[in-house]
Amino acid sequence: MDMTGQRTLQVTQQQAWEALNDPDILKACIPGCQRFEPSGDQKFAVAAGIKMGPVSAMFNGSVQLTDIVAPQSYKLNFDAQGGVAGFGKGESSVEIKPLEKGCELHYTVHSSVGGKIAQLGQRLIDGVAKNMAEDFFKRFEAELEKRYPPAEEPIPQQSAPAQTSAGVPVWMWAAGAAVALAVVVMVTR
């Protein structure tokens, strides 16, 4: 399976880098993760419960970081065994690019599975992987917001509410934009 994607994050490149290298944050963000802990030089032991269709299993494995260019990018190799359910292995690249406000995270994943889970069919496996990636990013963005809350901008003092040319107060447009941004707003490691 191959997957690529990108996410715009509302934190700096350095803040995103620190979060992507924090085992506690990753454990909280990876769906079904029971363990994510250092086990050597740039290596982590991982355990996660995964359900794909009728197959549920605890996968134990490792993640090894390579080609590290802090705070911009790294590659990782992963390998996990799920007993009779099968195995998964692969590689991923992560790149964080600074933006004027925030940063953009780009990722690619190439993985393969074998055993019982491989018999489920590629469409089911791809669907579960995409859902897990989406779940990871929702959790990751929530963790980032908890760790680095957005700064509140001071509200200028005015005697009367500002109006736009359409007659709607400026604060309503800002609130609507914030709600729209909140609605818009498988890296696994």
Side-chain angles (χ1 to χ4, degrees):
M1 177 189 75
D2 293 314
M3 186 177 357
T4 61
Q6 66 186 47
R7 296 296 272 228
T8 301
L9 304 173
Q10 301 304 312
V11 295
T12 67
Q13 179 187 39
Q14 183 64 39
Q15 291 168 331
W17 179 261
E18 289 170 6
L20 284 172
N21 285 279
D22 183 326
D24 292 331
I25 287 181
L26 294 173
K27 181 180 177 188
C29 296
I30 297 170
C33 191
Q34 307 274 322
R35 180 174 52 134
F36 197 103
E37 50 197 42
S39 65
D41 188 32
Q42 302 301 328
K43 191 170 187 175
F44 298 86
V46 181
I50 297 176
K51 179 169 176 44
M52 285 191 187
V55 179
S56 293
M58 177 62 70
F59 284 82
N60 291 293
S62 64
V63 173
Q64 175 72 54
L65 302 180
T66 61
D67 300 336
I68 300 167
V69 181
Q72 299 170 8
S73 63
Y74 58 68
K75 291 184 180 179
L76 54 98
N77 295 301
F78 52 91
D79 185 335
Q81 298 293 322
V84 296
F87 67 89
K89 62 181 179 177
E91 57 199 24
S92 179
S93 297
V94 176
E95 183 178 6
I96 307 168
K97 296 179 179 181
L99 299 173
E100 188 174 315
K101 289 188 178 186
C103 65
E104 193 168 70
L105 183 140
H106 295 261
Y107 64 92
T108 62
V109 180
H110 175 73
S111 63
S112 59
V113 295
K116 205 173 194 179
I117 57 173
Q119 298 170 1
L120 295 174
Q122 197 62 45
R123 281 179 40 172
L124 177 61
I125 293 169
D126 288 351
V128 170
K130 288 176 183 172
N131 286 339
M132 288 179 68
E134 186 62 32
D135 193 16
F136 170 85
F137 280 113
K138 284 180 183 176
R139 293 174 183 200
F140 187 66
E141 288 171 351
E143 286 293 322
L144 288 173
E145 193 169 308
K146 277 196 284 187
R147 183 179 263 199
Y148 308 107
E152 292 186 29
E153 295 187 24
I155 300 171
Q157 296 292 327
Q158 295 181 353
S159 57
Q163 300 287 322
T164 65
S165 60
V168 178
V170 171
W171 67 267
M172 282 184 103
W173 287 109
V179 168
L181 181 61
V183 169
V184 174
V185 172
M186 159 158 153
V187 174
T188 58
R189 176 185 101 141

